[in-house]
Amino acid sequence: MAEEKSQASSSKMLTLKASDGVLFEVELNIAKEMKTVQAYIDDCEDIETIPIPNVLGKHLAIVIEYIKKTNEEYDAEFEKQWNMDDLQLLLLAANYLNISGLQECLCKAIAKRIENKSPEYVRKVFNIENDHSPEEEAKLRKEYKWAFEGVDKD
Amino acid sequence: MSSPPAKLRVQPDDESPAILPDELITEVLSHADVKSLMQMRCVSKTWDAMISDPKFVKLHLKRASRNPSLTLFLSKSRIDGDNNVVPFPVSCLIENPMITLPNDPYFRLRDKECRYVIGSCNGWLCLLGYSSIGAYRQIWLRFWNPAMHKMTEKLGYIWDNILGLYTHFKFAFGYDELSETYKVVLLILDEARNRTNVQILSLGDDMWRSIQSFPAVPLPFRYSNPGVNDVVYLNGSLNWLALRDSFRSIGVYGWKNVNVKEFVIISLDLGTETYRQLMPPCGFDEMSPVEPSICVLKDCLCFSNDYKRTDFVIWKMEVFGVEESWTQLFRISYQNLQSMHLDFVDLQYSQWLPLHLSDHGDTLILANKQERQAILYNLRDNRAVRTRITDDIQWFSAKVHVESLVSDILKPQVHQP
């Protein structure tokens, strides 16, 4: 994927404006990896500055860097730098901007971080209220006893 | 493959803590392992419903298929028939650890009253067991999803009388997507009547039923245990390599007399329960002392053969059923496959079986009859490395297996069009 970036259209630059006003100048073929931006360009050809109202500057920077550098090795190390909150915000950004490779990479990363953790831990991560009755939860824990063995500490 | 439709696009508020919408949570969870998902059913009622939803089970299965395991079949004890089957992730195998598999009773087949693994489909293993009663054997099947800790009762009882389990029977396990039914197929070689009878058991039914007899003679036909790979499941069909017309007696296998043109692939559609005959690649035009084989690599039917005792060739049927779409996938010289430590082994006279091709297509896992270890062949630099698991594994019985949430395979689900 990295090799395709230096093509004829790469000389044209585009400006992306993050929600907090931070501006990013990117090559057209980088911006096109964000299908949402591509659709924007298709609609209004002469546009030079595209507003990205849902993504903070710090996250947009990370997304742009990902698009530039993505490959097997980079992807494997990418997620290790970010905390859980950032991973979720990046996922929302990748989803909004419609970048399937990044979206998959982030989904996998978040899944890995919640694997074999207690339900209480997972609830905190995603801000979820437990609406199971104590009996219902006890029933599930009993039925899937094997799943609750050897759980990682929170 | 993972990008959601545009209408699910969610616009995050950058000031509040990230709250992922259900669609994204589903996508995240589809990458989690089965054990964790069963715990996460406790998170909330919504999550419980989400994880149990058949659509989620399908999505999860699709993801899991990209990260499969090989079932390693071995014996941990000297007790006859005490076999273990251990699902071992391919990604782990490729890293080639030097380890000994744990002697975990969970993977012991004897405790499940079974001895062999017939096949793996959607996370379920089809196991076979038997007991001898005088000169006869009572054979049964049992189905096990190791990830979900679910197992059926013994079912599909069959009697093995004069025709033997090890010489005349071939079992196969597959899934018909249309009727959402799991099926087991049994080929019974009937030498006296010069034909191969076929019976099918649909899981959920009580009885085996006969279908049209097999239009050729399935290979290999020699003494082998029921767990050895001799059939290939692909997209709702079961496929066997066979010899057309001729009927050879077991044990006398004169390859010199076999013409290349006699080979055929018989494909049984599990939905219609009818056969199709597929020609092997036309590039396979010369007989060899070594038997060819079929397998599945990258979701395509593949055919492998020896070429002039110098190379091992693998062909891929790009479009299933279209004979013109056979293309050569790999041609690997035996020189490149040779082990540094075993140069007395005649690789060009060995039977080879490709087991799996890694996701990025750079490592091919192969087994060969003469070696204890499997071969990890790096296709980028043409280097072969042997696996280092210390146990004595029967690599020709290894099945590609996935972890799945599929919890029930006996009841055929009512299919609403």
Side-chain angles (χ1 to χ4, degrees):
Chain A
M1 200 175 162
E3 306 87 81
E4 291 161 27
K5 300 213 172 63
S6 49
Q7 280 168 26
S9 56
S10 65
S11 47
K12 181 168 180 206
M13 302 298 277
L14 212 62
T15 305
L16 302 177
K17 184 173 173 186
S19 61
D20 47 4
V22 181
L23 298 170
F24 295 89
E25 217 186 357
V26 292
E27 290 172 349
L28 183 63
N29 55 359
I30 303 283
K32 280 180 165 186
E33 293 294 326
M34 308 178 203
K35 297 216 174 63
T36 304
V37 172
Q38 170 78 75
Y40 212 108
I41 299 171
D42 288 344
D43 272 350
C44 6
E45 276 182 18
D46 295 332
I47 197 90
E48 279 186 6
T49 304
I50 296 174
I52 313 281
N54 310 298
V55 185
L56 284 170
K58 89 170 199 180
H59 293 124
L60 192 53
I62 296 168
V63 168
I64 292 168
E65 175 109 348
Y66 175 89
I67 296 172
K68 284 184 184 163
K69 294 194 176 162
T70 181
N71 63 33
E72 217 179 299
E73 263 181 69
Y74 183 81
D75 286 12
E77 299 298 307
F78 173 73
E79 56 91 6
K80 292 181 186 168
Q81 318 165 54
W82 320 115
N83 66 33
M84 184 52 95
D85 277 342
D86 278 328
L87 282 182
Q88 292 189 54
L89 287 166
L90 284 168
L91 177 56
L92 285 168
N95 179 257
Y96 172 71
L97 293 166
N98 200 348
I99 310 164
S100 59
L102 178 57
Q103 188 164 334
E104 188 178 344
C105 178
L106 290 164
C107 282
K108 276 191 190 154
I110 296 172
K112 208 156 146 213
R113 290 206 197 178
I114 58 171
E115 263 176 6
N116 210 28
K117 296 276 193 226
S118 69
E120 298 82 55
Y121 178 93
V122 176
R123 282 183 206 120
K124 281 202 200 95
V125 164
F126 296 106
N127 234 320
I128 294 174
E129 207 182 298
N130 181 8
D131 56 352
H132 275 307
S133 72
E135 295 81 34
E136 283 166 345
E137 189 169 336
K139 190 168 166 225
L140 279 168
R141 281 179 182 267
K142 189 175 170 199
E143 191 179 341
Y144 299 105
K145 210 168 96 172
W146 51 269
F148 291 90
E149 282 163 19
V151 176
D152 289 348
K153 295 223 169 358
D154 287 0
Chain B
M1 73 248 101
S2 61
S3 106
K7 64 178 183 213
L8 296 179
R9 202 90 320 119
V10 171
Q11 302 179 350
D13 177 347
D14 46 53
E15 294 304 341
S16 63
I19 295 178
L20 293 180
D22 285 350
E23 296 82 14
L24 287 181
I25 290 191
T26 301
E27 212 179 308
V28 168
L29 293 184
S30 73
H31 292 279
D33 64 41
V34 171
K35 181 180 191 275
S36 304
L37 287 168
M38 289 303 107
Q39 286 180 57
M40 292 189 230
R41 288 181 63 171
C42 285
V43 165
S44 74
K45 281 194 169 71
T46 310
W47 278 47
D48 189 9
M50 195 192 291
I51 293 167
S52 328
D53 188 320
K55 290 202 200 86
F56 178 76
V57 171
K58 260 197 182 142
L59 175 64
H60 180 268
L61 180 61
K62 199 169 107 169
R63 302 245 188 269
S65 307
R66 292 175 55 198
N67 202 14
S69 300
L70 281 176
T71 57
L72 303 186
F73 185 71
L74 65 147
S75 190
K76 271 292 190 185
S77 81
R78 295 191 188 279
I79 300 170
D80 183 39
D82 190 5
N83 301 318
N84 284 39
V85 61
V86 183
F88 200 89
V90 167
S91 54
C92 226
L93 194 62
I94 289 177
E95 279 165 26
N96 206 7
M98 176 169 318
I99 55 166
T100 302
L101 296 174
N103 196 357
D104 188 340
Y106 188 63
F107 298 112
R108 225 177 270 155
L109 290 182
R110 179 170 260 232
D111 298 350
K112 300 167 178 59
E113 297 178 275
C114 290
R115 291 188 192 228
Y116 300 108
V117 179
I118 300 300
S120 172
C121 205
N122 296 345
W124 282 82
L125 295 174
C126 174
L127 309 176
L128 180 147
Y130 64 82
S131 69
S132 299
I133 298 156
Y136 299 96
R137 265 194 280 248
Q138 188 189 44
I139 301 164
W140 55 78
L141 302 170
R142 198 159 199 185
F143 298 85
W144 179 39
N145 181 333
M148 285 290 280
H149 290 236
K150 288 213 158 200
M151 191 162 62
T152 65
E153 292 304 314
K154 296 189 287 191
L155 50 94
Y157 289 90
I158 270 193
W159 284 94
D160 157 14
N161 35 39
I162 310 162
L163 306 175
L165 173 64
Y166 289 84
T167 51
H168 293 72
F169 283 19
K170 284 189 185 301
F171 285 89
F173 178 46
Y175 177 66
D176 171 37
E177 274 144 21
L178 211 61
S179 65
E180 293 184 326
T181 313
Y182 291 84
K183 298 186 180 182
V184 181
V185 175
L186 170 58
L187 308 186
I188 306 171
L189 174 61
D190 185 349
E191 277 181 297
R193 290 191 189 83
N194 214 13
R195 67 168 184 235
T196 302
N197 297 314
V198 183
Q199 305 231 323
I200 290 190
L201 177 72
S202 294
L203 262 56
D205 288 355
D206 278 333
M207 304 246 300
W208 290 86
R209 34 185 183 89
S210 287
I211 63 167
Q212 196 186 7
S213 61
F214 203 73
V217 180
L219 291 167
F221 246 113
R222 66 172 75 90
Y223 190 98
S224 74
N225 76 52
V228 167
N229 296 343
D230 55 12
V231 61
V232 154
Y233 169 70
L234 180 64
N235 298 337
S237 70
L238 287 169
N239 303 272
W240 294 262
L241 187 59
L243 289 178
R244 51 169 95 252
D245 305 331
S246 53
F247 215 98
R248 316 253 160 187
S249 57
I250 297 161
V252 180
Y253 224 84
W255 276 118
K256 288 176 249 167
N257 302 325
V258 175
N259 190 304
V260 156
K261 297 210 193 314
E262 291 183 60
F263 285 95
V264 65
I265 295 167
I266 305 293
S267 182
L268 173 67
D269 181 312
L270 289 174
T272 60
E273 296 181 358
T274 55
Y275 304 99
R276 247 176 111 163
Q277 300 197 20
L278 301 171
M279 293 309 296
C282 51
F284 171 60
D285 54 10
E286 203 178 300
M287 257 324 287
S288 138
V290 184
E291 202 170 310
S293 64
I294 56 172
C295 64
V296 171
L297 296 174
K298 284 289 173 75
D299 291 323
C300 287
L301 182 67
C302 292
F303 178 93
S304 343
N305 63 279
D306 163 68
Y307 177 76
K308 293 193 195 290
R309 266 77 69 221
T310 59
D311 300 88
F312 179 65
V313 185
I314 305 176
W315 309 81
K316 175 183 173 191
M317 194 179 229
E318 297 273 359
V319 181
F320 185 74
V322 176
E323 286 158 2
E324 296 76 26
S325 72
W326 280 115
T327 37
Q328 187 176 291
L329 185 57
F330 303 120
R331 182 148 141 181
I332 306 169
S333 82
Y334 292 118
Q335 286 249 335
N336 288 341
L337 288 168
Q338 195 69 44
S339 157
M340 292 186 293
H341 313 289
L342 300 168
D343 47 68
F344 55 85
V345 165
D346 281 334
L347 293 184
Q348 60 268 42
Y349 292 103
S350 231
Q351 197 191 10
W352 287 84
L353 183 68
L355 293 172
H356 190 260
L357 179 60
S358 70
D359 206 29
H360 296 279
D362 53 5
T363 306
L364 179 66
I365 305 175
L366 299 141
N368 105 59
K369 265 280 156 70
Q370 291 190 63
E371 290 190 56
R372 275 192 63 226
Q373 296 288 4
I375 288 92
L376 303 171
Y377 187 74
N378 186 314
L379 293 154
R380 283 202 207 134
D381 55 19
N382 293 316
R383 273 194 331 121
V385 163
R386 264 68 187 160
T387 54
R388 301 185 296 172
I389 302 173
T390 61
D391 302 89
D392 202 0
I393 294 163
Q394 293 187 31
W395 292 100
F396 272 67
S397 299
K399 315 272 184 274
V400 177
H401 172 76
V402 295
E403 271 210 348
S404 88
L405 293 164
V406 176
S407 56
D408 200 344
I409 64 167
L410 289 185
K411 281 184 288 203
Q413 288 158 29
V414 177
H415 183 71
Q416 301 293 350

